[in-house]
Amino acid sequence: MCDCMTAHGARAVAHGARADVRCRAHGGSNAVPRKTAVVGAGFAGVALAFELLEGANARGTALDVTLIDARGIAGGASGVAAGLLHPYTPRGKIIWRGREGVAAAKRLISLAVKAEDALDVVLNARCDDADGGWRDSVGRNTGERRNDAVARAPGIVRPARSAKQGMDFRRAFNARLVADIEAFKDDDDDDGATCLTTAETLALCPGLVFTEDVLEAEARADDVGCAGALYMPRGVVVDAPRYLSALWDACSIVASRGVAGTRAMFRTATIDDVEALYDEFDDVCLCCGAAVHALVNADDVPVQLQGGHVLVMKPDDGALTTGILGTTYVAPLGTSRAMVGPTKEYDATVEDARRAGVADRASTRGARAESALRDLALRAYAPTSSWDVVQLKYGVRANPPRSPAGALPLAGRTKTRAGGRRRPWFVAGLGARGLVYHALLARWVADAMLDDDITAIPEDVRRDSAQ
C-alpha cells in the first residue's frame, strides 16, 4: 500500500476524473472505453472477461478488458481440474443452484467451441510449447491438442463405495422424482440422472471393483435398496485448459463486435500490488484463486488453501469413455488421455500456488506424489494399473468456508481501498466446484461491475467488506 497520503490523494482525484469521463462517454463512436483488469486466467477470470464484454456490448458500452496472469491461460489450479461437470453431492443430492450452474457452464462451453472453430479458419499457424501445446505468449491455445475436443458428453458415473452411499443414492433419487413431479417439471428440465445396478455400472466401466458390503446390500433388495452407482448420462467431461483457451478466443470475437474502443487483451504479469493497478484501470476484479491472499487480507476473503497432484495418463485403447467420480476421479479426456487424482495436501501456501503446472516426476516430492496417485488410481479403477503416465501436475485450490447451504463460492468487494475511493471486486473460493459455478459467478459479477450494483450478486455468496 502507498505510504504517502498526498500522492495517494492526488492519484485518487486523477482516477476519479478519468472514470467520470469514461462513464459519460458510453455508446458513441468517440466513446472512451472503461478500462477493466481481471487478475487471474482460470475458470473465474476467463469467464468474467467474457461476461463483461458480452454485457458491455448489450449495454452499448465501450469496455477495454485486460486479463492478467503470470502463467498464461489455465496456468494455475483450473488447468489441473478434472473437468467433470455435474450438479451432485457425493450423496446424490443436487448442490445449491447446481442445475442452473451446469446450464450456464454448458452455454459458455458451447460458445467457446464455436469461437475456436471460427478462429481456426483464419489462424492456421500454431506452434507447440513445452507444456503440451496449451497456449502461446498471448494466451491462445496452440499445438497438437488444438484438434482435440474441448468437451465431450460421454456421461459420468459415481460408483457406490459403501452400502451407505448406495442407499443414499436411492433415497436422493426417489426424493428428486417426488420433488420434480410436485413442481410439474418436464423432461427438458431434468438432467437424466438415475441409479444403476452394479451390473449396469460394470457395463459402462469394465473392471470396476465393488466392495462386499455394496454387493451384499444390493442382493438383499430391502425397501430402500442399494444402488451400484449414480449415473449422469448427460454429464460432460471438459478438457479445462482447452476450454479456457477456447473461451478466450470467444472473448476476442465478442470484443470485435463491441462499440468503438472495446478490446480484449492478455498480459503476462505477476501482480503484487492491487492499488497500483488503479493507476491504469478503472475497475479491478481479483480472480486469482489461491493467490488472492497475496493481494488482500485473509480475513477479507476467507478461503483455505489445499494443494494436490494429479496424473495425466494414457489409457489402453477403448479402456474407458465414461467419467468416474469419487474421492479419486478418473476423467477420460478423449481417447488418448485421462486425468486421475487428486492427492490432498492441506499445508499449501500462496508460494505453492505460484508453482502450479507440470511437476517434476523425478524429484522426491514428485516421485512420492506419483506413487500415491498410482495407488489411488488402482483402488478407484483397477484397469489403470496398465496405463502409462504422461505427466504429473500440481495445483492449489481455494476452498470456501462452510455455510448452511454448503460450501459456496465467494464474490463481492474487498475492504482494501485500492486507488483511494475504489475497492477491488473479487471472485474466490470455487474449490472443487469451479466448473459448475464459474459461469454463474461470472454473470453475476459482470452485472455488478457494469452497473456498479453489488446486489446483482446473490446474498448467499455475496461479500461486502464495507458492511
Side-chain angles (χ1 to χ4, degrees):
M1 300 295 291
C2 180
D3 293 325
C4 178
M5 296 301 293
T6 302
H8 184 286
R11 183 166 59 203
V13 171
H15 164 75
R18 183 180 63 205
D20 289 343
V21 169
R22 287 184 174 131
C23 287
R24 291 196 299 269
H26 291 332
S29 60
N30 295 321
V32 177
R34 188 170 186 81
K35 298 192 69 176
T36 298
V38 178
V39 181
F43 284 130
V46 182
L48 177 60
F50 179 87
E51 293 288 352
L52 282 168
L53 290 161
E54 189 176 60
N57 287 1
R59 291 164 172 81
T61 299
L63 190 68
D64 186 340
V65 175
T66 299
L67 182 64
I68 305 172
D69 198 295
R71 303 181 67 85
I73 304 292
S78 294
V80 187
L84 296 169
L85 178 59
H86 68 94
Y88 292 97
T89 72
R91 298 178 62 186
K93 297 181 178 180
I94 295 178
I95 62 175
W96 178 86
R97 300 218 186 189
R99 285 176 171 167
E100 186 181 356
V102 167
K106 285 183 175 179
R107 170 182 174 268
L108 290 193
I109 291 168
S110 176
L111 292 170
V113 171
K114 292 177 181 177
E116 183 180 87
D117 289 345
L119 288 184
D120 272 345
V121 173
V122 295
L123 298 174
N124 295 317
R126 306 289 176 186
C127 60
D128 288 337
D129 62 28
D131 202 18
W134 295 351
R135 53 193 176 271
D136 61 17
S137 60
V138 295
R140 183 174 307 289
N141 181 72
T142 63
E144 60 183 20
R145 296 219 307 273
R146 187 75 179 188
N147 296 320
D148 288 353
V150 169
R152 301 161 51 251
I156 298 172
V157 65
R158 183 186 286 274
R161 298 302 184 183
S162 68
K164 180 182 182 305
Q165 188 176 34
M167 289 186 281
D168 284 342
F169 289 162
R170 284 288 183 194
R171 292 190 186 97
F173 175 69
N174 292 337
R176 283 198 308 277
L177 283 179
V178 172
D180 287 350
I181 291 171
E182 291 177 347
F184 298 102
K185 285 189 175 180
D186 59 34
D187 291 340
D188 290 339
D189 295 325
D190 187 15
D191 54 20
T194 189
C195 289
L196 300 182
T197 65
T198 54
E200 291 169 333
T201 307
L202 286 169
L204 287 173
C205 307
L208 194 69
V209 178
F210 288 97
T211 60
E212 288 297 325
D213 67 328
V214 170
L215 297 172
E216 291 171 0
E218 182 182 45
R220 286 198 301 270
D222 54 23
D223 291 341
V224 174
C226 178
L230 177 68
Y231 177 49
M232 296 147 265
R234 300 176 191 172
V236 178
V237 182
V238 181
D239 186 332
R242 296 277 295 103
Y243 160 57
L244 291 175
S245 292
L247 187 57
W248 182 242
D249 288 344
C251 290
S252 300
I253 292 175
V254 172
S256 72
R257 296 171 177 169
V259 301
T262 297
R263 293 194 310 171
M265 303 293 291
F266 185 86
R267 181 181 300 175
T268 302
T270 298
I271 303 301
D272 54 18
D273 182 1
V274 179
E275 186 173 328
L277 288 172
Y278 283 91
D279 290 337
E280 179 181 358
F281 298 100
D282 301 297
D283 281 319
V284 175
C285 188
L286 307 178
C287 301
C288 44
V292 71
H293 282 173
L295 302 175
V296 300
N297 293 328
D299 291 342
D300 295 344
V301 185
V303 294
Q304 295 294 319
L305 306 190
Q306 177 185 327
H309 286 82
V310 300
L311 288 179
V312 180
M313 306 186 77
K314 182 176 176 54
D316 299 332
D317 290 343
L320 181 70
T321 58
T322 303
I324 298 177
L325 273 174
T327 303
T328 302
Y329 57 73
V330 183
L333 304 175
T335 58
S336 61
R337 292 179 306 118
M339 189 91 79
V340 181
T343 59
K344 295 183 179 179
E345 303 164 25
Y346 294 100
D347 58 347
T349 66
V350 171
E351 286 306 311
D352 289 329
R354 296 188 188 280
R355 62 180 183 83
V358 177
D360 181 4
R361 295 170 59 191
S363 69
T364 300
R365 182 172 182 171
R368 188 187 312 120
E370 182 172 338
S371 176
L373 284 164
R374 275 288 199 180
D375 184 57
L376 291 171
L378 185 63
R379 283 183 277 170
Y381 189 54
T384 59
S385 61
S386 62
W387 295 5
D388 292 331
V389 174
V390 178
Q391 281 180 328
L392 176 70
K393 299 171 72 176
Y394 176 77
V396 177
R397 70 188 189 199
N399 293 325
R402 298 288 302 181
S403 75
L408 304 186
L410 310 174
R413 305 191 81 163
T414 74
K415 192 182 300 179
T416 305
R417 294 198 170 272
R421 67 186 183 87
R422 289 282 187 172
R423 293 175 296 125
W425 299 84
F426 73 90
V427 179
L430 275 69
R433 293 172 177 164
L435 190 55
V436 73
Y437 282 138
H438 76 291
L440 270 185
L441 285 167
R443 184 190 305 162
W444 294 331
V445 174
D447 285 342
M449 293 178 68
L450 291 167
D451 298 331
D452 196 21
D453 179 11
I454 198 171
T455 64
I457 303 170
E459 188 174 1
D460 285 341
V461 298
R462 185 169 70 230
R463 292 274 178 145
D464 187 354
S465 298
Q467 296 178 345

